[in-house]
Amino acid sequence: MEMTVMTKGGGVDMLLMTKKEMMELRPGEELDELVAVRVMGFMAMMESQKMVVDGEEKEVFWMDAEGTPSLIPPYSQDMGEAWKVVEKLSEEGWKIQMRQVGDGFLVQLQRREEFGTEQVEVHGEFPRVFTAPEAIVKCALLAKSSG
């Protein structure tokens, strides 16, 4: 059975996106939606709902993993939100290593499996280096893709 999840913006087939396509995404809404669906358990709602956020009414298209209507956090742009991704992966047995390499960051995720160790690594290539949040979420996407 093929399952397709569409973005609110109209049409990225997130579940069939290649690793190369994921790595080429820039921080922003499309990457955040991909992380929300593939890593954090968000699902698209059949019908949008209105929600008041910071005193402003917004249209909500997503449910979080608990089924609560939710806006998608800026996982790829905000370190606090990216750290929630790290915490989620930690619950699944992943260990993170992160270090600065030049002007960007390298992130490694590793977990022990029954028959060995699974490891993924992400870093940008000069001149396009990754910020810490971007490297974290892209590494998380690779980890979820490999499993």
Side-chain angles (χ1 to χ4, degrees):
M1 177 174 129
E2 183 177 299
M3 189 161 96
T4 302
V5 177
M6 305 301 274
T7 64
K8 167 184 77 127
V12 172
D13 186 343
M14 290 187 209
L15 297 182
L16 299 177
M17 187 176 276
T18 67
K19 291 178 184 179
K20 182 179 186 294
E21 290 169 330
M22 285 188 281
M23 293 304 106
E24 290 174 351
L25 288 175
R26 297 284 183 158
E29 187 175 309
E30 190 175 6
L31 181 55
D32 295 335
E33 287 178 0
L34 189 61
V35 171
V37 170
R38 284 197 172 183
V39 179
M40 302 302 285
F42 276 58
M43 296 184 319
M45 297 189 324
M46 296 300 268
E47 295 181 19
S48 66
Q49 294 185 10
K50 301 285 185 192
M51 179 177 181
V52 177
V53 179
D54 296 329
E56 183 182 331
E57 188 174 81
K58 297 192 180 225
E59 197 165 8
V60 179
F61 298 87
W62 299 97
M63 289 185 297
D64 64 18
E66 285 79 42
T68 305
S70 180
L71 296 173
I72 291 182
Y75 295 117
S76 64
Q77 301 168 77
D78 179 272
M79 192 61 191
E81 296 298 337
W83 202 254
K84 292 176 184 175
V85 173
V86 171
E87 290 170 345
K88 170 89 168 137
L89 292 172
S90 180
E91 292 170 5
E92 298 172 9
W94 290 97
K95 305 292 183 210
I96 186 171
Q97 290 185 12
M98 183 170 69
R99 65 180 180 268
Q100 191 165 5
V101 178
D103 292 334
F105 286 85
L106 177 138
V107 172
Q108 290 178 323
L109 287 170
Q110 186 178 65
R111 72 175 170 185
R112 296 209 184 277
E113 296 289 324
E114 187 176 349
F115 298 106
T117 300
E118 185 175 7
Q119 180 173 314
V120 291
E121 178 178 295
V122 165
H123 59 88
E125 298 291 330
F126 181 80
R128 173 76 178 98
V129 295
F130 295 156
T131 63
E134 181 181 9
I136 288 169
V137 301
K138 287 182 174 181
C139 200
L141 286 169
L142 288 181
K144 287 297 198 169
S145 295
S146 69

